[in-house]
Amino acid sequence: SRCTNLTSFNFSGISNIGDYAFAYCKNLPSIKIPGSVDFIGNNTFEECTSLKSVSLSTSLEKIPLGTFSECSSLAKIDIPNSVIEIDDYAFLSCTSLTKVTLPKSLKVIGQNAFQGCASLTEINIPDTIERIGKEAFSLNITEATPGTVLQFAFSNGNVPNIEIGGTGSYYV
């Protein structure tokens, strides 16, 4: 969309947001997606490099492919309890991201979902997780508490301590 001058948007009355709808909106500092929105498309906010504050709809079940990829100013995000899947590359290279709060409803974290999030040092992964994709956290996390982890989910990372479902610590 290349909406470089957009600094705000009112999502009232909208139920879905299409693929790339706000991609490359370099001056958009915050978004507040109301509960009326139950669907957002792929790469919706990709490369919104000024985006610092995000409030997601409590109706979303999925954070799609590349939704916030390369949002380099995004420092924190709370994923609503309605979300059951974070798709591939959803937060790829969000280099300022330091904290992610994941809901107990979450079952899937996709491939490369948090890859390249160099500032992300801690994440609590609920024991409801059924699948974590390849390289989901590569090159970031220093401490994690995941459920079931697939091969290479934390490859090239600095994960010294992993707790799986509160059952004890495992060292890698």
Side-chain angles (χ1 to χ4, degrees):
S1 68
R2 307 271 183 210
C3 48
T4 56
N5 294 324
L6 185 68
T7 58
S8 67
F9 188 83
N10 183 347
F11 291 93
S12 296
I14 295 175
S15 61
N16 66 61
I17 303 169
D19 294 352
Y20 294 93
F22 295 90
Y24 314 107
C25 292
K26 305 272 186 200
N27 292 309
L28 188 64
S30 66
I31 55 169
K32 183 175 171 66
I33 302 174
S36 62
V37 176
D38 59 9
F39 174 84
I40 54 178
N42 294 335
N43 303 87
T44 304
F45 299 99
E46 178 180 2
E47 284 193 49
C48 289
T49 54
S50 295
L51 189 61
K52 292 179 182 177
S53 173
V54 173
S55 175
L56 292 173
S57 167
T58 55
S59 300
L60 291 176
E61 291 186 0
K62 180 178 182 178
I63 297 177
L65 178 91
T67 302
F68 295 102
S69 66
E70 300 186 50
C71 290
S72 57
S73 296
L74 185 62
K76 176 183 175 274
I77 189 157
D78 294 327
I79 310 295
N81 288 328
S82 56
V83 173
I84 58 173
E85 180 179 357
I86 297 174
D87 205 351
D88 301 347
Y89 309 100
F91 295 94
L92 175 74
S93 296
C94 289
T95 54
S96 296
L97 193 61
T98 59
K99 183 175 181 189
V100 177
T101 302
L102 300 176
K104 294 200 182 298
S105 58
L106 192 64
K107 295 182 180 196
V108 176
I109 298 174
Q111 175 178 311
N112 304 94
F114 295 94
Q115 181 184 18
C117 296
S119 299
L120 186 61
T121 58
E122 183 177 344
I123 190 165
N124 292 320
I125 300 173
D127 58 7
T128 54
I129 288 290
E130 296 173 2
R131 180 172 62 84
I132 297 177
K134 183 177 178 183
E135 298 185 1
F137 299 98
S138 64
L139 301 175
N140 47 358
I141 303 293
T142 58
E143 183 176 334
T145 56
T148 305
V149 180
L150 289 181
Q151 182 181 21
F152 306 119
F154 295 89
S155 71
N156 300 320
N158 300 322
V159 187
N161 184 5
I162 298 174
E163 185 175 313
I164 300 177
T167 60
S169 293
Y170 298 83
Y171 298 92
V172 291

